[in-house]
Amino acid sequence: MSPSDTASITVQPATVADIPTIIRLAEATWEPTYRFIISKEQIDYMYRVIYTPASLQRQMTDEGHTFLLLYADGQPTGYASFSPQPAAESLFKLHKIYVLPSHQGQGLGQYLVQAVENAVQQAGGHTLELNVNRYNPAIAFYERQGFHRHREVDVPIGPYWMNDYVMRKNL
């Protein structure tokens, strides 16, 4: 399936009612994504912080994150979340983007990035930014989508550190 073959691909805004679906997708994508990059202990800790139902609800309601669900052939296969950044006018942050491992390499991630970019532009955004671990192979994917390495950051999360690139794309 290529991004141009979109008859069976849809992206829908997610609501609090979709939290169980987001959690199911996260359970299937989180560990395979990070197992070769960070320790199992850090994976488990970060997952517990980010993906509890209460945490996801807080992200949606209190923190202003917009979640999008990607469907292929009617089945949820990925998700993304983004929000405006209050410190910078027209800057949005892509917080999450995941596609099921079984559906990677089919253009779905590219389709989901484009849906986020369209939503950001409709909301008045001109720049999209994301953090990615400096050892994550997804860096090449983001570069193919037009993102560039903007700076390096080391972000504490509990007793661990996220050693990231901040990547940006002008929309």
Side-chain angles (χ1 to χ4, degrees):
M1 179 182 306
S2 71
S4 61
D5 178 23
T6 58
S8 62
I9 303 171
T10 59
V11 175
Q12 303 286 326
T15 67
V16 172
D18 293 309
I19 287 175
T21 299
I22 294 167
I23 289 173
R24 278 194 308 277
L25 290 167
E27 287 172 348
T29 58
W30 188 258
E31 196 272 339
T33 299
Y34 293 107
R35 71 176 146 210
F36 299 112
I37 302 171
I38 58 177
S39 71
K40 176 156 179 32
E41 293 78 17
Q42 184 173 355
I43 292 170
D44 293 344
Y45 178 86
M46 291 174 60
Y47 186 87
R48 287 192 310 269
V49 168
I50 298 168
Y51 286 104
T52 64
S55 178
L56 287 168
Q57 183 167 343
R58 184 173 56 255
Q59 291 167 47
M60 288 180 173
T61 57
D62 300 342
E63 298 173 15
H65 294 204
T66 297
F67 278 75
L68 301 177
L69 282 171
L70 173 77
Y71 294 86
D73 297 323
Q75 297 300 310
T77 55
Y79 64 98
S81 76
F82 63 93
S83 69
Q85 296 300 284
E89 190 175 324
S90 79
L91 174 65
F92 280 67
K93 182 164 187 176
L94 176 61
H95 298 282
K96 301 172 185 56
I97 182 166
Y98 295 95
V99 173
L100 290 174
S102 60
H103 288 72
Q104 292 175 2
Q106 301 175 18
L108 296 174
Q110 181 179 346
Y111 192 88
L112 193 51
V113 168
Q114 188 61 57
V116 169
E117 291 176 4
N118 292 343
V120 165
Q121 288 177 313
Q122 289 175 359
H126 299 293
T127 306
L128 186 59
E129 176 174 279
L130 60 88
N131 284 35
V132 60
N133 184 284
R134 292 195 289 262
Y135 303 102
N136 191 331
I139 292 168
F141 167 78
Y142 294 125
E143 289 174 337
R144 286 193 304 273
Q145 306 315 306
F147 287 86
H148 67 275
R149 297 175 199 188
H150 182 64
R151 68 181 187 279
E152 290 185 12
V153 295
D154 295 312
V155 181
I157 181 163
Y160 302 101
W161 289 89
M162 297 189 308
N163 308 114
D164 291 351
Y165 288 121
V166 175
M167 300 185 78
R168 277 195 172 176
K169 181 177 182 178
N170 294 323
L171 305 177

